[in-house]
Amino acid sequence: MKPLIKVKALTRIYDTSQNVIAGIKDVSFEVREGELVGIIGRSGCGKTTLLRCIAGFEKSDSGEIFLDGKRVSGPGPDRFMVFQGLDQLFPWLTVKGNLIFAMKTVNKDMTPKELRERAEYFLELVGLSAWADRYPYQLSGGMKQRAFLARALSVSPRVLLMDEPFGSLDAFGRKAMQDLLLKLWEKTGITILFVTHDIDECIKLSDKILVFARGTLKYSIYNPLPRPRMVEDAAYREFLAKLSRMVEEEKDIAEGPAREPSINLKWADVILQ
Amino acid sequence: MKKLVSKTALIFSLAVLWEAVRVLGGYSELLFPSLRSIVLSLWAERAQLFANALFSLKLIGLGLFTAVVLAMMLALLCMSTKIFPGVITDIMAIMHPLPGIAILPVAILWFGIGIESILFVIIFSALWPLLNHFYTGFRSIPKNQLEVGRNLGLSGVKLALSVMLPASFPHILGGLRTGWARAWQASVAAELVFGAAGGQGGLGWYLYKKRFLMETPGVFAGMLLIIAIGLVVEYLIFTTLENLTVRKWKAVID
Ligand SMILES: Nc1ncnc2c1ncn2[C@@H]1O[C@H](COP(=O)(O)OP(=O)(O)OP(=O)(O)O)[C@@H](O)[C@H]1O
Ligand SMILES: [Mg+2]
């Protein structure tokens, strides 16, 4: 099967005055249509940078990104991003108004009736029907995140890019949003790339996991666990331990002398590249 | 309703204070006219005052509109280029403290004695505070909202109109308020300094004539009208606009 997203030798280095190299370096991977990809790594390892490059907000220094065989050169609604932060709705529009604005901007042919009905459909999907006519300031953090999701899906992007989407929620809200995301993913079949620093979240949600460390892609692995994934399962805990070690490994390198990765990779069902 | 009562009470006490000072101080009518004669003069000259006020408002409207358009274009240029912001901020630092009336002599040199000169002073007075507010407003737009706009495929003028304008509306409204006040002040000041060209003039010209003729109640009547127009614009236009927008969106603190 042809990959939907192809990232080839992508490099984006930021000029930092302190002589520290920051950004991402020589990152390559592929994502198939409909995959739910989790991107994980320690803070500052370049997860946001990668997502912003794919979204087209950052220019790469070298390397290329392809969506469906076409080279990505700037932002566009075929790759819709949900950012970090709760200020993504336009405060001058109601929740429904925000969805309608987005759809109207992307698709000029829709009639007002179609726009309204479609907005209502997506708000219903995320459980925000009752809040459709409220203004963003009247929504809680969790509701806002539902609204971001509804808006993102309403413009029918090929790929949904999510940067630590549930980072600001408490454990209950987080669980609810994870379930919601899975439900929507199963329903729409959309391709999702999401960044997280929560290993449990990454395991629960993703088909494929990209582990980043200091700007490079360290591991690209498939999640061997069948859905639904239960913390109680022995296989889950085993995978969790291994993924944790892969993510934590970088810490040892950062703190001690450089050495070869000591992890045994044989356990994973499939190892890419 | 409560507001209306408190505002009426305020105006009433000011009137009482005025009369008290006048009577107790024993000032002459020429220096400190009674409210009665001010109101009488206001009524007697209503047609003239109306014509002058209309003239002022038209001039200010035109000047303010031009200044808003210019300021908006400059602010957008600042947002979309790299060197422009530095240049504009420097120019703004030079021009902003300069009272608009101070460039009247230059305006007269360039445009002669006439409406053009007054218009120039009005535009100059309103432009810098407007630009300052607009540019500050654009820079304070949350990055996420701009990027959502770009993500939807918006850029350039479309992005400016449909995202940047509403997103910075609290600042834009503040700019309009200041710009309006500056334009009003400039128009009155300019006419007070050199009168009017031809028979036409605004409220500044009215004040100028009344002072020249030593008709003190008329001077105060003109001032009263200037204040009244300012209040009407503030409460009818700006407050309404505010209630319909930034207050509704809770973009400002009540
Ligand atoms: N605009 C920028 N200018 C300079 N350096 C930047 C810029 N954006 C990111 N960086 C640097 O690039 C590196 C990667 O940043 P990035 O935001 O991609 O990390 P991250 O993995 O998303 O971290 P976190 O988990 O904390 O969000 C960091 O060292 C950061 O300081
Ligand atoms: Mg990040």
Side-chain angles (χ1 to χ4, degrees):
Chain A
M1 203 170 104
K2 234 180 83 195
L4 180 67
I5 303 173
K6 211 167 171 171
V7 175
K8 274 168 90 180
L10 185 71
T11 298
R12 174 71 173 105
I13 302 290
Y14 293 109
D15 272 332
T16 48
S17 45
Q18 305 95 345
N19 250 344
V20 191
I21 296 170
I24 50 175
K25 221 181 112 206
D26 199 18
V27 171
S28 301
F29 63 93
E30 291 179 356
V31 176
R32 283 188 242 158
E33 178 122 42
E35 267 179 343
L36 215 175
V37 179
I39 299 169
I40 195 162
R42 301 167 62 78
S43 182
C45 68
K47 306 183 292 293
T48 298
T49 308
L50 171 69
L51 232 50
R52 291 179 59 81
C53 283
I54 298 175
F57 291 119
E58 297 281 343
K59 292 264 170 285
S60 59
D61 296 322
S62 65
E64 287 160 315
I65 299 164
F66 296 94
L67 178 76
D68 226 359
K70 279 194 287 290
R71 207 182 149 164
V72 165
S73 60
D78 50 358
R79 291 147 285 135
F80 206 78
M81 183 138 170
V82 175
F83 301 90
Q84 264 172 311
L86 288 175
D87 57 352
Q88 298 167 54
L89 292 172
F90 296 136
W92 60 92
L93 297 172
T94 60
V95 176
K96 201 203 281 182
N98 266 280
L99 266 68
I100 290 177
F101 176 87
M103 292 186 282
K104 208 165 56 184
T105 310
V106 171
N107 184 345
K108 274 140 197 105
D109 303 328
M110 284 167 87
T111 65
K113 185 165 173 282
E114 282 173 330
L115 288 168
R116 236 181 10 253
E117 284 172 359
R118 203 173 146 85
E120 278 157 13
Y121 169 76
F122 281 102
L123 287 175
E124 167 93 58
L125 267 190
V126 301
L128 273 187
S129 291
W131 300 82
D133 296 316
R134 308 290 180 97
Y135 283 89
Y137 78 89
Q138 293 168 303
L139 267 55
S140 72
M143 291 173 182
K144 280 182 184 156
Q145 264 155 349
R146 284 165 194 268
F148 302 158
L149 255 179
R151 172 170 66 183
L153 292 174
S154 76
V155 298
S156 315
R158 298 299 303 276
V159 189
L160 189 56
L161 305 167
M162 307 179 84
D163 194 356
E164 297 195 25
F166 317 133
S168 58
L169 297 181
D170 61 30
F172 301 109
R174 187 172 262 264
K175 169 86 173 61
M177 286 306 289
Q178 289 166 356
D179 294 345
L180 178 65
L181 186 69
L182 275 181
K183 187 187 106 185
L184 294 175
W185 174 65
E186 274 157 16
K187 201 171 170 88
T188 59
I190 191 175
T191 312
I192 303 177
L193 263 71
F194 77 99
V195 163
T196 181
H197 56 229
D198 179 341
I199 297 181
D200 271 304
E201 180 169 275
C202 195
I203 295 177
K204 263 184 220 158
L205 297 181
S206 19
D207 290 325
K208 184 160 132 184
I209 299 171
L210 307 179
V211 181
F212 275 77
R214 291 199 288 179
T216 59
L217 177 57
K218 271 285 167 76
Y219 303 104
S220 170
I221 53 182
Y222 274 112
N223 191 334
L225 304 174
R227 294 177 195 273
R229 291 155 187 164
M230 300 293 181
V231 193
E232 297 80 27
D233 294 347
Y236 184 104
R237 286 199 301 276
E238 193 188 342
F239 185 45
L240 176 70
K242 281 173 177 165
L243 186 59
S244 304
R245 247 179 292 152
M246 297 170 98
V247 175
E248 290 292 318
E249 181 181 287
E250 180 56 21
K251 187 173 140 201
D252 308 332
I253 296 175
E255 285 165 2
R259 58 187 151 121
E260 287 300 301
S262 54
I263 199 149
N264 169 22
L265 288 171
K266 264 184 246 141
W267 51 270
D269 277 0
V270 187
I271 299 175
L272 298 173
Q273 295 165 357
Chain B
M1 195 57 213
K2 226 166 151 185
K3 266 186 180 168
L4 203 68
V5 171
S6 74
K7 284 194 170 103
T8 318
L10 178 70
I11 292 175
F12 184 73
S13 19
L14 283 175
V16 169
L17 189 68
W18 175 275
E19 284 299 295
V21 170
R22 186 179 67 84
V23 172
L24 294 176
Y27 298 111
S28 93
E29 182 80 353
L30 206 59
L31 295 178
F32 211 139
S34 68
L35 278 180
R36 195 183 119 80
S37 51
I38 294 174
V39 172
L40 281 180
S41 153
L42 198 62
W43 183 247
E45 306 233 352
R46 58 189 185 280
Q48 182 62 45
L49 275 167
F50 181 76
N52 285 140
L54 203 64
F55 182 86
S56 284
L57 285 174
K58 272 189 197 157
L59 214 56
I60 291 166
L62 183 61
L64 196 57
F65 178 76
T66 316
V68 167
V69 171
L70 277 175
M72 196 52 85
M73 291 194 316
L74 289 175
L76 285 174
L77 266 177
C78 283
M79 292 302 290
S80 50
T81 58
K82 286 241 160 21
I83 48 161
F84 220 71
V87 178
I88 284 292
T89 353
D90 287 345
I91 296 180
M92 208 147 60
I94 297 168
M95 297 303 194
H96 202 167
L98 200 63
I101 196 69
I103 64 144
L104 187 61
V106 182
I108 292 173
L109 271 178
W110 289 347
F111 304 106
I113 296 178
I115 292 178
E116 292 83 3
S117 290
I118 299 185
L119 207 53
F120 183 78
V121 174
I122 292 175
I123 293 171
F124 183 91
S125 305
L127 180 63
W128 308 111
L130 282 170
L131 178 56
N132 195 10
H133 276 88
F134 290 177
Y135 185 40
T136 309
F138 286 162
R139 276 184 310 173
S140 70
I141 299 174
K143 188 171 163 239
N144 278 342
Q145 286 171 26
L146 270 183
E147 290 190 335
V148 167
R150 290 177 56 208
N151 208 160
L152 291 168
L154 294 170
S155 61
V157 178
K158 277 193 197 143
L159 185 70
L161 288 180
S162 55
V163 176
M164 291 169 75
L165 223 53
S168 58
F169 206 71
H171 291 269
I172 291 185
L173 200 59
L176 290 178
R177 272 199 164 109
T178 318
W180 150 257
R182 291 288 174 83
W184 210 188
Q185 290 161 12
S187 85
V188 172
E191 286 187 331
L192 265 179
V193 171
F194 82 70
Q200 274 197 314
L203 282 173
W205 173 230
Y206 184 86
L207 293 184
Y208 182 93
K209 279 189 300 185
K210 290 295 160 188
R211 185 200 56 84
F212 189 75
L213 301 171
M214 289 299 272
E215 289 177 22
T216 319
V219 174
F220 281 101
M223 279 167 54
L224 215 56
L225 188 57
I226 292 174
I227 294 171
I229 292 174
L231 287 178
V232 166
V233 168
E234 168 61 37
Y235 286 109
L236 239 54
I237 298 180
F238 287 123
T239 308
T240 312
L241 204 56
E242 195 176 84
N243 288 337
L244 289 177
T245 58
V246 292
R247 266 179 208 284
K248 197 161 106 192
W249 315 329
K250 288 281 182 296
V252 291
I253 298 160
D254 280 311

